[in-house]
Amino acid sequence: MDLKKVLNDIVHEIKPELGVAKVADYIPALAKADSHKFGIAVTTVIGETFQAGDAKVPFSIQSVSKLFTLTLALREVGDGLWKRLGREPSGNPFNSLVQLERENGVPRNPFINAGAIVVADVIVSAAKRSRHDDPAGNILQFVQTLADDPKVRIDRIIAKSEADTGYRNVALANFMKSFGNLENEPEAVLETYFKQCAIEMNCVDLSRAALYLANFGRDPLTGDRIVKSEQATRINAIMMTCGHYDASGEFAFKVGLPGKSGVGGGIIVVVPGKMTVAVWSPGLNKQGNSHAGTIALELFAAKTKSSLFGTTGRKH
Ligand code: GLU
């Protein structure tokens, strides 16, 4: 399959979808993103990289970071993690409080904000136990290593902008603390959470960084074991069922691959055993997923016949 041509065709076909959707503006620093941008990159398990469009332009990965922190937390505490959070789709917006109250402060899954805050708490505790008490620094270093790029960084302006306006995340963290589901002080956990969301990288880096998930938990290019094979399988399963907020069912229906999106307009997708695909376009649909990115992935799945459920329909 000529992946270079597939990506170039997608960049061409996606043009009418650019600039039509609004970028996230509830975090003021994110509102500056340009909704005409579009990038796509593929990394295969044998180490080929293909890219097209704005694939080298750095963007704020936001909730895509939840994938990497989940990986770190599973490395730290293994299945013990599931005593503190579930793995069911929430069917609710990513920052909903109501469900959390009904379910006694135990978040539905690690990809809604409440769940990711519990995951950040695990990482804060692990940093305290280690000699390196810098949880956000540990997350950044992990992602830099996975991406094989020391230029991956935390955008301090975005982290601060989110900390200044993240009232709902503050509420979620305090609420869980009151239920006894946070070990550390909410402020420390939120600082880590806001910084992980503000990680900035490009599509090429992102597809490289997630490659272990396409290769049973081992980085195929360095040979390093990142997580156990069964943990990688589980992460992929949670991406499939919970990776797109309350549009996860729709993404499975249209694309049919495990994916994780963020309100910066990035999406990472895993084609198990084969490759990863990262897309970025900041205009969002009403559930907060990249509008053009989602359509591009539909096109990709159709053109490469890579939906896990069979062939899919969008014209190709
Ligand atoms: N930092 C964002 C928030 O907590 C992440 C949102 C997202 O990408 O889903 O609001």
Side-chain angles (χ1 to χ4, degrees):
M1 186 188 344
D2 185 348
L3 284 171
K4 179 73 198 155
K5 178 171 179 338
V6 168
L7 299 194
N8 285 338
D9 287 352
I10 290 174
V11 165
H12 181 70
E13 289 167 42
I14 208 71
K15 284 208 171 106
E17 306 294 343
L18 303 183
V20 302
K22 272 187 60 192
V23 309
D25 54 6
Y26 74 102
I27 301 171
L30 282 183
K32 298 190 187 118
D34 175 359
S35 70
H36 290 87
K37 294 273 190 246
F38 175 83
I40 184 164
V42 169
T43 308
T44 67
V45 292
I46 57 168
E48 304 153 305
T49 304
F50 304 92
Q51 52 174 296
D54 300 307
K56 285 279 199 161
V57 178
F59 61 90
S60 186
I61 67 169
Q62 292 294 315
S63 279
V64 178
S65 66
K66 294 173 182 170
L67 188 60
F68 300 119
T69 52
L70 172 62
T71 301
L72 273 177
L74 284 171
R75 277 157 55 123
E76 282 299 331
V77 295
D79 281 348
L81 187 63
W82 305 120
K83 295 198 188 98
R84 297 177 57 190
L85 79 168
R87 54 230 180 190
E88 260 333 306
S90 74
N92 276 303
F94 64 99
N95 54 8
S96 168
L97 275 156
V98 178
Q99 193 168 50
L100 196 57
E101 164 137 59
R102 262 203 320 267
E103 298 182 0
N104 302 321
V106 177
R108 274 285 173 104
N109 68 65
F111 290 159
I112 52 174
N113 285 9
I117 292 168
V118 168
V119 168
D121 184 56
V122 170
I123 294 170
V124 171
S125 294
K128 278 191 183 153
R129 285 193 301 273
S130 76
R131 276 170 303 148
H132 198 228
D133 190 9
D134 175 12
N138 293 345
I139 297 167
L140 178 63
Q141 203 176 41
F142 180 58
V143 178
Q144 285 173 332
T145 306
L146 290 174
D148 192 20
D149 186 352
K151 291 193 298 302
V152 173
R153 64 181 200 105
I154 292 173
D155 185 321
R156 305 274 155 183
I157 295 174
I158 291 190
K160 180 168 184 316
S161 181
E162 187 163 350
D164 289 346
T165 55
Y167 304 110
R168 194 173 276 257
N169 287 322
V170 173
L172 290 169
N174 279 292
F175 208 40
M176 289 191 291
K177 184 74 181 171
S178 79
F179 277 107
N181 201 8
L182 285 191
E183 291 171 356
N184 301 284
E185 285 308 313
E187 294 71 31
V189 179
L190 286 168
E191 184 187 332
T192 302
Y193 174 74
F194 292 142
K195 284 184 178 162
Q196 76 173 65
C197 287
I199 290 177
E200 194 179 85
M201 62 204 289
N202 61 43
C203 288
V204 173
D205 285 338
L206 182 57
S207 70
R208 172 68 188 89
L211 200 56
Y212 64 99
L213 291 171
N215 192 51
F216 316 102
R218 189 190 288 279
D219 184 325
L221 307 185
T222 61
D224 294 341
R225 166 130 330 264
I226 309 301
V227 273
K228 292 181 192 151
S229 178
E230 60 268 28
Q231 289 173 326
T233 305
R234 265 60 198 254
I235 295 170
N236 285 338
I238 300 169
M239 288 170 81
M240 180 68 99
T241 52
C242 310
H244 279 76
Y245 316 115
D246 44 338
S248 299
E250 190 69 9
F251 192 79
F253 183 87
K254 287 187 170 157
V255 180
L257 290 165
K260 181 73 202 91
S261 73
V263 294
I267 306 177
I268 180 73
V269 152
V270 177
V271 187
K274 296 197 175 118
M275 62 187 124
T276 51
V277 191
V279 293
W280 168 61
S281 189
L284 304 181
N285 61 24
K286 70 174 185 309
Q287 285 97 357
N289 301 304
S290 173
H291 167 73
T294 305
I295 296 173
L297 289 166
E298 271 182 67
L299 290 168
F300 182 86
K303 287 176 192 291
T304 59
K305 300 191 172 33
S306 47
S307 164
L308 298 185
F309 303 110
T311 50
T312 48
R314 209 167 237 274
K315 71 175 168 20
H316 58 281

